[in-house]
Amino acid sequence: MEREQIRQLFGVNFIGKEELKPFFKAMGFGDVEIQEKPIEYSDSDLQKAAVEGYILIYGVGSINGQNITLKLLRERFGVNPDESEPCLYNQDWYMKEDFMNLTLENRWYLIKKDVIEESRAVMPGDLTQKGLNFPPAILSGYTFFAYYFAHKEYLWWHDFVWCCDTDHNGDRIYVGKYHDIDGVNKNGFSIHRHLALRPCYGSVNCM
């Protein structure tokens, strides 16, 4: 299929060079021209992905020598929803973690728009055994902000999504859940880690 046919197939779930412009402008890059590479997915894969609600998004690793990382997203969009939104949830445990400095390849990606219902409350190890491929945290964050600035819609409003990244202890990263349904926490794109059970976790008794 030609690019225009693919764009029509995905509709609002197509995020190419034109749809990315508001995102990059919000990051402070101004009006930038992106040179897209060809879409390498097969026609059958694209048709299936469009029906199943995937977002087709063009990944950009850097602009004007500036790597687009989760750390940069935090720097540009901040952590205080009282000042501006969208933003990241205010925490900093991850600032020295390697995954915060990872970038995307300059290519097209497919990422599921909505959480798969059958995956809810299932341990990540069980999900990977069933064949699910978790996205990198940078792809999730990049897509979240790019989609918002293209359509003024928040992805994963109340949901967390597992990522393929881990922290230095090997704990799984998960992101998302922009809004706390209970209203306790402020708005913000969250980045968390799922703590694995280790010998250092134990109990004391009390009487």
Side-chain angles (χ1 to χ4, degrees), residues 20-33 63-64 76:
L20 285 168
K21 284 184 176 181
F23 169 44
F24 294 142
K25 190 172 184 178
M27 290 187 72
F29 290 117
D31 293 321
V32 294
E33 291 297 328
I63 296 177
N64 300 330
R76 297 297 171 89

PDB file of all heavy atoms in Angstrom, residues 20-33 63-64 76:
ATOM      1  N   LEU A  20       3.419  14.778  13.959  1.00  0.00           N
ATOM      2  CA  LEU A  20       4.456  14.947  14.982  1.00  0.00           C
ATOM      3  C   LEU A  20       4.847  16.408  15.203  1.00  0.00           C
ATOM      4  O   LEU A  20       5.428  16.753  16.238  1.00  0.00           O
ATOM      5  CB  LEU A  20       5.706  14.145  14.604  1.00  0.00           C
ATOM      6  CG  LEU A  20       5.637  12.630  14.779  1.00  0.00           C
ATOM      7  CD1 LEU A  20       6.836  11.969  14.097  1.00  0.00           C
ATOM      8  CD2 LEU A  20       5.583  12.242  16.250  1.00  0.00           C
ATOM      9  N   LYS A  21       4.536  17.257  14.254  1.00  0.00           N
ATOM     10  CA  LYS A  21       4.989  18.655  14.346  1.00  0.00           C
ATOM     11  C   LYS A  21       4.536  19.368  15.617  1.00  0.00           C
ATOM     12  O   LYS A  21       5.341  20.064  16.263  1.00  0.00           O
ATOM     13  CB  LYS A  21       4.545  19.420  13.101  1.00  0.00           C
ATOM     14  CG  LYS A  21       5.388  19.116  11.876  1.00  0.00           C
ATOM     15  CD  LYS A  21       4.985  19.978  10.681  1.00  0.00           C
ATOM     16  CE  LYS A  21       5.907  19.719   9.503  1.00  0.00           C
ATOM     17  NZ  LYS A  21       5.551  20.562   8.326  1.00  0.00           N
ATOM     18  N   PRO A  22       3.260  19.234  16.048  1.00  0.00           N
ATOM     19  CA  PRO A  22       2.858  19.918  17.290  1.00  0.00           C
ATOM     20  C   PRO A  22       3.627  19.422  18.518  1.00  0.00           C
ATOM     21  O   PRO A  22       3.921  20.196  19.430  1.00  0.00           O
ATOM     22  CB  PRO A  22       1.362  19.598  17.406  1.00  0.00           C
ATOM     23  CG  PRO A  22       0.933  19.242  16.029  1.00  0.00           C
ATOM     24  CD  PRO A  22       2.112  18.581  15.395  1.00  0.00           C
ATOM     25  N   PHE A  23       3.947  18.147  18.533  1.00  0.00           N
ATOM     26  CA  PHE A  23       4.711  17.540  19.625  1.00  0.00           C
ATOM     27  C   PHE A  23       6.111  18.138  19.692  1.00  0.00           C
ATOM     28  O   PHE A  23       6.569  18.603  20.742  1.00  0.00           O
ATOM     29  CB  PHE A  23       4.748  16.031  19.403  1.00  0.00           C
ATOM     30  CG  PHE A  23       5.701  15.261  20.272  1.00  0.00           C
ATOM     31  CD1 PHE A  23       5.811  15.507  21.633  1.00  0.00           C
ATOM     32  CD2 PHE A  23       6.470  14.239  19.722  1.00  0.00           C
ATOM     33  CE1 PHE A  23       6.686  14.767  22.434  1.00  0.00           C
ATOM     34  CE2 PHE A  23       7.324  13.486  20.511  1.00  0.00           C
ATOM     35  CZ  PHE A  23       7.440  13.756  21.871  1.00  0.00           C
ATOM     36  N   PHE A  24       6.789  18.176  18.554  1.00  0.00           N
ATOM     37  CA  PHE A  24       8.146  18.700  18.529  1.00  0.00           C
ATOM     38  C   PHE A  24       8.168  20.210  18.806  1.00  0.00           C
ATOM     39  O   PHE A  24       9.089  20.722  19.436  1.00  0.00           O
ATOM     40  CB  PHE A  24       8.814  18.390  17.194  1.00  0.00           C
ATOM     41  CG  PHE A  24       9.041  16.913  16.962  1.00  0.00           C
ATOM     42  CD1 PHE A  24       8.882  16.362  15.702  1.00  0.00           C
ATOM     43  CD2 PHE A  24       9.400  16.081  18.002  1.00  0.00           C
ATOM     44  CE1 PHE A  24       9.093  15.011  15.489  1.00  0.00           C
ATOM     45  CE2 PHE A  24       9.611  14.727  17.804  1.00  0.00           C
ATOM     46  CZ  PHE A  24       9.457  14.189  16.540  1.00  0.00           C
ATOM     47  N   LYS A  25       7.138  20.894  18.350  1.00  0.00           N
ATOM     48  CA  LYS A  25       7.053  22.330  18.624  1.00  0.00           C
ATOM     49  C   LYS A  25       6.871  22.567  20.114  1.00  0.00           C
ATOM     50  O   LYS A  25       7.481  23.473  20.703  1.00  0.00           O
ATOM     51  CB  LYS A  25       5.904  22.949  17.837  1.00  0.00           C
ATOM     52  CG  LYS A  25       5.889  24.466  17.872  1.00  0.00           C
ATOM     53  CD  LYS A  25       4.851  25.035  16.913  1.00  0.00           C
ATOM     54  CE  LYS A  25       4.908  26.547  16.894  1.00  0.00           C
ATOM     55  NZ  LYS A  25       3.940  27.132  15.921  1.00  0.00           N
ATOM     56  N   ALA A  26       6.036  21.724  20.767  1.00  0.00           N
ATOM     57  CA  ALA A  26       5.816  21.841  22.213  1.00  0.00           C
ATOM     58  C   ALA A  26       7.091  21.548  22.989  1.00  0.00           C
ATOM     59  O   ALA A  26       7.271  22.042  24.105  1.00  0.00           O
ATOM     60  CB  ALA A  26       4.695  20.905  22.655  1.00  0.00           C
ATOM     61  N   MET A  27       7.985  20.751  22.394  1.00  0.00           N
ATOM     62  CA  MET A  27       9.261  20.441  23.045  1.00  0.00           C
ATOM     63  C   MET A  27      10.275  21.554  22.877  1.00  0.00           C
ATOM     64  O   MET A  27      11.363  21.492  23.453  1.00  0.00           O
ATOM     65  CB  MET A  27       9.827  19.131  22.496  1.00  0.00           C
ATOM     66  CG  MET A  27       9.045  17.894  22.901  1.00  0.00           C
ATOM     67  SD  MET A  27       9.878  16.381  22.376  1.00  0.00           S
ATOM     68  CE  MET A  27      11.272  16.353  23.507  1.00  0.00           C
ATOM     69  N   GLY A  28       9.933  22.550  22.070  1.00  0.00           N
ATOM     70  CA  GLY A  28      10.831  23.671  21.884  1.00  0.00           C
ATOM     71  C   GLY A  28      11.718  23.588  20.660  1.00  0.00           C
ATOM     72  O   GLY A  28      12.661  24.373  20.512  1.00  0.00           O
ATOM     73  N   PHE A  29      11.411  22.654  19.744  1.00  0.00           N
ATOM     74  CA  PHE A  29      12.230  22.503  18.548  1.00  0.00           C
ATOM     75  C   PHE A  29      11.761  23.378  17.386  1.00  0.00           C
ATOM     76  O   PHE A  29      12.417  23.414  16.351  1.00  0.00           O
ATOM     77  CB  PHE A  29      12.251  21.035  18.102  1.00  0.00           C
ATOM     78  CG  PHE A  29      13.012  20.128  19.013  1.00  0.00           C
ATOM     79  CD1 PHE A  29      12.373  19.092  19.686  1.00  0.00           C
ATOM     80  CD2 PHE A  29      14.372  20.309  19.220  1.00  0.00           C
ATOM     81  CE1 PHE A  29      13.072  18.248  20.531  1.00  0.00           C
ATOM     82  CE2 PHE A  29      15.086  19.465  20.064  1.00  0.00           C
ATOM     83  CZ  PHE A  29      14.436  18.434  20.721  1.00  0.00           C
ATOM     84  N   GLY A  30      10.618  24.033  17.547  1.00  0.00           N
ATOM     85  CA  GLY A  30      10.105  24.848  16.467  1.00  0.00           C
ATOM     86  C   GLY A  30       9.542  23.997  15.346  1.00  0.00           C
ATOM     87  O   GLY A  30       9.158  22.836  15.550  1.00  0.00           O
ATOM     88  N   ASP A  31       9.505  24.558  14.143  1.00  0.00           N
ATOM     89  CA  ASP A  31       8.998  23.821  12.977  1.00  0.00           C
ATOM     90  C   ASP A  31      10.139  23.010  12.364  1.00  0.00           C
ATOM     91  O   ASP A  31      11.054  23.580  11.764  1.00  0.00           O
ATOM     92  CB  ASP A  31       8.417  24.780  11.943  1.00  0.00           C
ATOM     93  CG  ASP A  31       7.159  25.470  12.441  1.00  0.00           C
ATOM     94  OD1 ASP A  31       6.352  24.805  13.110  1.00  0.00           O
ATOM     95  OD2 ASP A  31       7.000  26.677  12.173  1.00  0.00           O
ATOM     96  N   VAL A  32      10.091  21.708  12.546  1.00  0.00           N
ATOM     97  CA  VAL A  32      11.137  20.838  12.004  1.00  0.00           C
ATOM     98  C   VAL A  32      10.548  19.952  10.912  1.00  0.00           C
ATOM     99  O   VAL A  32       9.382  19.561  10.969  1.00  0.00           O
ATOM    100  CB  VAL A  32      11.775  19.965  13.108  1.00  0.00           C
ATOM    101  CG1 VAL A  32      12.515  20.826  14.098  1.00  0.00           C
ATOM    102  CG2 VAL A  32      10.726  19.118  13.813  1.00  0.00           C
ATOM    103  N   GLU A  33      11.361  19.661   9.917  1.00  0.00           N
ATOM    104  CA  GLU A  33      10.955  18.784   8.824  1.00  0.00           C
ATOM    105  C   GLU A  33      11.583  17.415   9.039  1.00  0.00           C
ATOM    106  O   GLU A  33      12.801  17.292   9.127  1.00  0.00           O
ATOM    107  CB  GLU A  33      11.386  19.365   7.480  1.00  0.00           C
ATOM    108  CG  GLU A  33      10.629  20.617   7.076  1.00  0.00           C
ATOM    109  CD  GLU A  33       9.145  20.359   6.871  1.00  0.00           C
ATOM    110  OE1 GLU A  33       8.781  19.247   6.441  1.00  0.00           O
ATOM    111  OE2 GLU A  33       8.347  21.278   7.160  1.00  0.00           O
ATOM    112  N   ILE A  63      16.742  15.291  17.299  1.00  0.00           N
ATOM    113  CA  ILE A  63      16.476  16.468  16.483  1.00  0.00           C
ATOM    114  C   ILE A  63      17.567  17.498  16.768  1.00  0.00           C
ATOM    115  O   ILE A  63      17.830  17.828  17.933  1.00  0.00           O
ATOM    116  CB  ILE A  63      15.096  17.074  16.793  1.00  0.00           C
ATOM    117  CG1 ILE A  63      13.984  16.083  16.415  1.00  0.00           C
ATOM    118  CG2 ILE A  63      14.899  18.390  16.040  1.00  0.00           C
ATOM    119  CD1 ILE A  63      12.599  16.574  16.750  1.00  0.00           C
ATOM    120  N   ASN A  64      18.209  17.946  15.712  1.00  0.00           N
ATOM    121  CA  ASN A  64      19.282  18.948  15.848  1.00  0.00           C
ATOM    122  C   ASN A  64      20.338  18.519  16.862  1.00  0.00           C
ATOM    123  O   ASN A  64      20.837  19.332  17.649  1.00  0.00           O
ATOM    124  CB  ASN A  64      18.697  20.308  16.243  1.00  0.00           C
ATOM    125  CG  ASN A  64      17.718  20.847  15.216  1.00  0.00           C
ATOM    126  OD1 ASN A  64      17.833  20.564  14.025  1.00  0.00           O
ATOM    127  ND2 ASN A  64      16.744  21.611  15.674  1.00  0.00           N
ATOM    128  N   ARG A  76      11.485  18.880  29.355  1.00  0.00           N
ATOM    129  CA  ARG A  76      10.711  19.816  28.544  1.00  0.00           C
ATOM    130  C   ARG A  76       9.276  19.994  29.036  1.00  0.00           C
ATOM    131  O   ARG A  76       8.716  21.089  28.948  1.00  0.00           O
ATOM    132  CB  ARG A  76      10.709  19.363  27.082  1.00  0.00           C
ATOM    133  CG  ARG A  76      12.107  19.358  26.445  1.00  0.00           C
ATOM    134  CD  ARG A  76      12.725  20.752  26.387  1.00  0.00           C
ATOM    135  NE  ARG A  76      14.118  20.746  25.994  1.00  0.00           N
ATOM    136  CZ  ARG A  76      14.549  20.810  24.732  1.00  0.00           C
ATOM    137  NH1 ARG A  76      13.677  20.858  23.747  1.00  0.00           N
ATOM    138  NH2 ARG A  76      15.836  20.820  24.473  1.00  0.00           N
TER     139      ARG A  76
END
